[in-house]
Amino acid sequence: MTLNIQNHPCFNDSSRHTFGRIHLPVAPKCNIQCNYCNRKYDCMNENRPGITSKVLSPKQALFYLDNALKLSPNISVVGIAGPGDPFANPEETMETLRLVREKYPEMLLCVATNGLDVLPYIEELAELQVSHVTLTINAIDPEIGQEIYAWVRYQKKMYRDRQAADLLLENQLAALQKLKRFGVTAKVNSIIIPGVNDTHVVEVARQVASMGADILNCLPYYNTTETVFENIPEPDPLMVMEIQAEAGKLLPQMKHCARCRADAVGIIGEINSDEMMEKLAEASRMPKNPDEHRPYIAVASLEGVLINQHLGEADRFLVYALDEEKQSCTLIDSRPAPPPGGGKSRWEALASKLSDCRAVLVNSAGDSPQSVLKASGIDVMSLEGVIEEAVYGVFTGQNLKHLMKSSQIHACKSGCSGAGNGCD
């Protein structure tokens, strides 16, 4: 199969008024903290990377794509660009790409990444015919890089300052080389930050051009409140033009970047339509696998009013259904938890008991049960608050940030270690 990469509106200026793109927001976690970034997932009034109104599972994303193509059949590209980094969420990212490639063999696929964790996945990206990968490289001098990044988390270890910048740059350049070795078109984004790297971007261009990058996007940084760089002004248009002109002597330039949201859809530069955003919200309200019939939500609670039990300490789970007519939720069942002990088999037994539930709401949970339940299609959500508000909010796709766990304290007032019932 030969893909028509000329239909990619981000890489081909002549296509951007004809063909659309869709970003599937399946990657919420990030592995670095940039000093210009504040990822407010639900901010509908901003158009910048790191923003989305919903986060989807891979199969929810495919369901959404099916509906989006009905509304906007000129979509030629499916991309994953966050709201975190695709390869800080590799399972979700790769599953989504596999699902889309299987169902839409003619579709162009692309991802945008900071490059820290992409290396192990490049070979499969090439096999899936992911035709375009964007790497954001803001500095090739670690002394400058350490001013831009607060921290880097790599292989479960946190790095800061010069060590973080060195590690990130090493992986970015290795990723660029490997992408070109596997024949993937590589775009480099370099964000122009006045007083930080504005005089350095051309050096970035020179380095990545020597390593085979195909196109460079010198884009102005977006001033965002509640960030380290919130007092740095955005670069003026003349500065951007001068940098693009100089860098253009080394690499072709992308000059029509709209600094898209992680849930952007349609023609570049156009605002997401209300109808399309409702389709996104509809997908987020579906079970993690929309093909499954999972009409219920389970809750761990001591007294049936608050979400206040650790998953491993619950002796029974309350099961709720949505009453759409009354716009409320109804308790329909109480199911005994599997007995403590047994390790993974205990959580497999719980997954079987809750097989008709799309989620289980708990005060906290260990990694092992979360992994088993997630693999069975059950989302484990650590919340605190009134059951009815939380359950109804999950059913209807509401923003529940105010119920997200602010600490690891649960019903017994101890830490998250629980009572030794094998959560981890």
Side-chain angles (χ1 to χ4, degrees), residues 114-135:
N114 56 48
L116 179 66
D117 286 315
V118 68
L119 271 167
Y121 304 97
I122 289 175
E123 189 167 357
E124 186 179 0
L125 291 176
E127 290 173 358
L128 288 169
Q129 290 190 280
V130 174
S131 56
H132 301 75
V133 172
T134 295
L135 297 170

Side-chain angles (χ1 to χ4, degrees), residues 9 50 109 189 193 213 221 312 325 334 340-341:
L109 299 179
N189 281 358
I193 311 166
Y221 114 101
E325 186 176 329
S334 176

Side-chain angles (χ1 to χ4, degrees), residues 281-295:
E282 178 186 344
S284 74
R285 293 192 293 266
M286 302 291 288
K288 294 297 182 184
N289 180 359
D291 294 332
E292 296 176 340
H293 183 59
R294 293 181 181 265

Side-chain angles (χ1 to χ4, degrees), residues 11 18 32 72 83 142 153 184 241 252 262 284-285 291 377:
F11 287 74
T18 306
I32 70 174
S72 185
R153 183 174 174 81
V184 179
M241 288 176 60
S284 74
R285 293 192 293 266
D291 294 332

Side-chain angles (χ1 to χ4, degrees), residues 50 83 159 203:
Y159 299 86
E203 292 306 310

Side-chain angles (χ1 to χ4, degrees), residues 6-226:
Q6 296 304 310
N7 292 346
H8 198 307
C10 301
F11 287 74
N12 184 1
D13 189 31
S14 63
S15 297
R16 67 186 174 101
H17 300 295
T18 306
F19 295 97
R21 82 292 187 231
I22 185 169
H23 289 173
L24 300 179
V26 298
K29 295 183 290 186
C30 201
N31 45 13
I32 70 174
Q33 178 59 60
C34 304
N35 286 329
Y36 51 76
C37 182
N38 183 359
R39 295 179 301 122
K40 294 180 178 177
Y41 293 163
D42 57 346
C43 183
M44 287 300 295
N45 299 316
E46 293 185 87
N47 188 56
R48 59 179 172 86
I51 295 292
T52 185
S53 65
K54 303 294 178 185
V55 174
L56 305 178
S57 71
K59 290 184 179 178
Q60 285 174 336
L62 188 67
F63 177 86
Y64 168 53
L65 176 60
D66 292 340
N67 285 291
L69 286 168
K70 295 173 185 175
L71 295 175
S72 185
N74 65 343
I75 290 173
S76 63
V77 181
V78 170
I80 300 176
D85 186 86
F87 300 97
N89 309 259
E91 294 178 7
E92 293 84 354
T93 294
M94 298 308 295
E95 183 183 355
T96 302
L97 293 172
R98 293 181 201 113
L99 290 170
V100 176
R101 174 56 71 225
E102 181 179 6
K103 188 162 187 180
Y104 297 101
E106 305 294 324
M107 188 71 71
L108 294 174
L109 299 179
C110 68
V111 293
T113 174
N114 56 48
L116 179 66
D117 286 315
V118 68
L119 271 167
Y121 304 97
I122 289 175
E123 189 167 357
E124 186 179 0
L125 291 176
E127 290 173 358
L128 288 169
Q129 290 190 280
V130 174
S131 56
H132 301 75
V133 172
T134 295
L135 297 170
T136 297
I137 304 177
N138 294 321
I140 51 128
D141 181 349
E143 288 295 325
I144 296 174
Q146 70 178 342
E147 296 182 42
I148 299 173
Y149 307 105
W151 51 258
V152 164
R153 183 174 174 81
Y154 183 65
Q155 295 182 349
K156 298 185 178 181
K157 185 176 179 180
M158 191 76 76
Y159 299 86
R160 298 183 185 277
D161 303 322
R162 175 63 185 257
Q163 193 177 22
D166 278 327
L167 174 63
L168 177 60
L169 178 62
E170 179 183 352
N171 284 16
Q172 288 173 331
L173 298 183
L176 176 56
Q177 289 179 311
K178 190 170 181 179
L179 286 167
K180 296 314 304 172
R181 195 159 68 245
F182 279 87
V184 179
T185 299
K187 174 166 71 75
V188 172
N189 281 358
S190 200
I191 300 170
I192 302 168
I193 311 166
V196 179
N197 73 339
D198 52 309
T199 61
H200 179 64
V201 171
V202 174
E203 292 306 310
V204 175
R206 183 170 288 107
Q207 175 71 47
V208 300
S210 71
M211 300 175 72
D214 296 282
I215 188 169
L216 182 67
N217 180 17
C218 303
L219 67 161
Y221 114 101
Y222 189 106
N223 180 267
T224 306
T225 59
E226 300 177 28

